[in-house]
Amino acid sequence: MTEGLLRTPLHALHLELGGRMVPFAGYDMPVQYEAGVMAEHLHTRAAGSIFDVSHMGQVRVRPRSGVMADAALALERLVPADILALRPGRQRYALLMREDGGISDDLMIANMGTWFLLVVNAACKDADFALIQAGIADVCEVEFLSDRALIAAQGPAAVAAMAELAPATAAMRFMDVIETDIAGVACIVSRSGYTGEDGFEIGMPAGQAEDVARALLACTDIAAAGLGARDSLRLEAGLCLYGSDIDTTTSPVEGALEWSIQKSRRPGGVRAGGYPGADIVAKHLSEGAARRRVGLRGEGRAPIRGGAPLFSDAEGTHQVGHVTSGAFGPSVPGPVSMGYVDTASAAIGTPLFAGVRGRVLPVHVVVLPFVAPTFRR
């Protein structure tokens, strides 16, 4: 099963820690460790965990002119986010757009002072790099950072561990980015998280990733967690998984991600449009879209997973949407799902019915996220 799969710089450490390895986005990755997915999930919320996310892509974008505004405006050709207003030491969530209004990928963009750091999804990183290079190479130098690793440290104990190992991180706010040393390794640290918990993403040279990981694991109440817990945590946090909850067929408004489009880039804004699919997105912003991503809660304990059809009637004759992600939420506790429904069925409290293995189970539309975030604002 592992033949032909890529390995992250922490692969040997995963095996040492008893990681159960599975193929993911072309890599051999730990889905869980000996404690199991539920224990890792709950430990992250109560204490702290580290996750290997080195399979994700990291890209450096540097303005050829030396003027960061030039690079920011070039990136705005590709994404609807306001990059020009992104100050040094801050990062922002953004969407790589298509001409048909769909999403090529979602990513983080950080202003490092003299260059931008882009972090993109593992399965999309080669296509993303080609798209970015083709779109802005006239103005920017675009470099794929293949020699970098990335670790996410999440949860209250992880915050304490980072304050011990890198004191400068204690003063950081949500979406801040700094350069600092951890265990003698020069790192780029951002304060955000895919789990809904306060935490950090730590980038470092690939050859020193194990030093940083071991330093974190040596801190009080820090354990390793795998892909399984990462997925259930992000689902409880109401966050999208690219390829499941958003993709080339969904617009930002359909995906309930219009918050990522700042006022300056919306119709009537000082730099409205100018990115692929802007006319379609503008229409959705003004008139609404035909469907909407929503949160769903079921009854009982049976999870309603991705692909399940959603109906407006208990007989299952009128389909109004489908589930894109679903699992048992250990922190809720109970089954939680996200999916797309017709806009008329998207109001909070709307009763719906999910088709699961020949049965029709009652669900209702709920507010996202399922678990309140603990980000430090």
Side-chain angles (χ1 to χ4, degrees), residues 141 158 161 181 200 254 332:
E141 298 172 3
D181 284 1
F200 302 88
E254 290 174 327
V332 174

Side-chain angles (χ1 to χ4, degrees), residues 160-211:
M162 287 293 289
E164 176 185 340
L165 294 170
T169 63
M172 294 174 69
R173 298 169 298 140
F174 182 60
M175 291 297 197
D176 277 353
V177 184
I178 66 170
E179 296 184 73
T180 189
D181 284 1
I182 300 175
V185 179
C187 298
I188 295 174
V189 179
S190 61
R191 190 166 195 165
S192 59
Y194 196 47
T195 63
E197 295 297 321
D198 190 7
F200 302 88
E201 293 73 45
I202 309 157
M204 74 292 292
Q208 296 173 290
E210 191 169 317
D211 294 336

Side-chain angles (χ1 to χ4, degrees), residues 261-273 275 278-279 281-283 285-286:
I261 307 175
Q262 285 73 39
K263 183 178 179 181
S264 63
R265 306 301 312 283
R266 296 187 179 211
V270 292
R271 293 188 316 286
Y275 56 87
D279 290 345
V281 174
K283 184 177 181 180
L285 285 169
S286 62

Side-chain angles (χ1 to χ4, degrees), residues 45-301:
R45 296 238 188 269
S49 301
I50 63 167
F51 302 80
D52 182 8
V53 287
S54 301
H55 56 308
M56 299 182 75
Q58 300 183 59
V59 179
R60 177 187 285 123
V61 172
R62 192 188 304 272
R64 296 185 185 278
S65 65
V67 178
M68 283 291 280
D70 293 342
L73 292 171
L75 286 168
E76 288 186 4
R77 301 175 192 171
L78 306 176
V79 304
D82 186 342
I83 308 303
L84 187 61
L86 187 61
R87 301 187 305 276
R90 295 286 290 167
Q91 71 173 1
R92 176 161 284 168
Y93 177 82
L95 304 169
L96 278 174
M97 296 298 299
R98 292 163 47 97
E99 291 292 349
D100 61 5
I103 301 169
S104 290
D105 198 9
D106 59 344
L107 71 159
M108 300 298 292
I109 301 177
N111 185 335
M112 301 307 301
T114 59
W115 57 284
F116 287 104
L117 171 64
L118 280 55
V119 180
V120 301
N121 284 301
C124 306
K125 62 185 178 183
D126 292 334
D128 287 353
F129 180 71
L131 186 156
I132 295 164
Q133 192 169 46
I136 67 172
D138 59 326
V139 176
C140 302
E141 298 172 3
V142 184
E143 179 186 1
F144 190 84
L145 303 178
S146 57
D147 60 345
R148 302 285 292 179
L150 193 63
I151 296 170
Q154 299 284 293
V159 173
M162 287 293 289
E164 176 185 340
L165 294 170
T169 63
M172 294 174 69
R173 298 169 298 140
F174 182 60
M175 291 297 197
D176 277 353
V177 184
I178 66 170
E179 296 184 73
T180 189
D181 284 1
I182 300 175
V185 179
C187 298
I188 295 174
V189 179
S190 61
R191 190 166 195 165
S192 59
Y194 196 47
T195 63
E197 295 297 321
D198 190 7
F200 302 88
E201 293 73 45
I202 309 157
M204 74 292 292
Q208 296 173 290
E210 191 169 317
D211 294 336
V212 175
R214 289 188 183 277
L216 285 162
L217 289 169
C219 294
T220 303
D221 287 335
I222 302 298
L227 293 170
R230 185 168 182 253
D231 193 51
S232 59
L233 288 159
R234 71 92 195 166
L235 178 55
E236 287 186 343
L239 299 174
C240 294
L241 174 64
Y242 188 83
S244 295
D245 306 297
I246 53 173
D247 57 25
T248 58
T249 70
T250 54
S251 82
V253 177
E254 290 174 327
L257 297 172
E258 61 267 38
W259 56 265
S260 69
I261 307 175
Q262 285 73 39
K263 183 178 179 181
S264 63
R265 306 301 312 283
R266 296 187 179 211
V270 292
R271 293 188 316 286
Y275 56 87
D279 290 345
I280 295 171
V281 174
K283 184 177 181 180
H284 284 184
L285 285 169
S286 62
E287 302 177 9
R291 59 178 184 156
R292 183 78 169 173
R293 178 175 64 92
V294 298
L296 300 160
R297 284 293 309 271
E299 299 176 3
R301 296 179 66 83

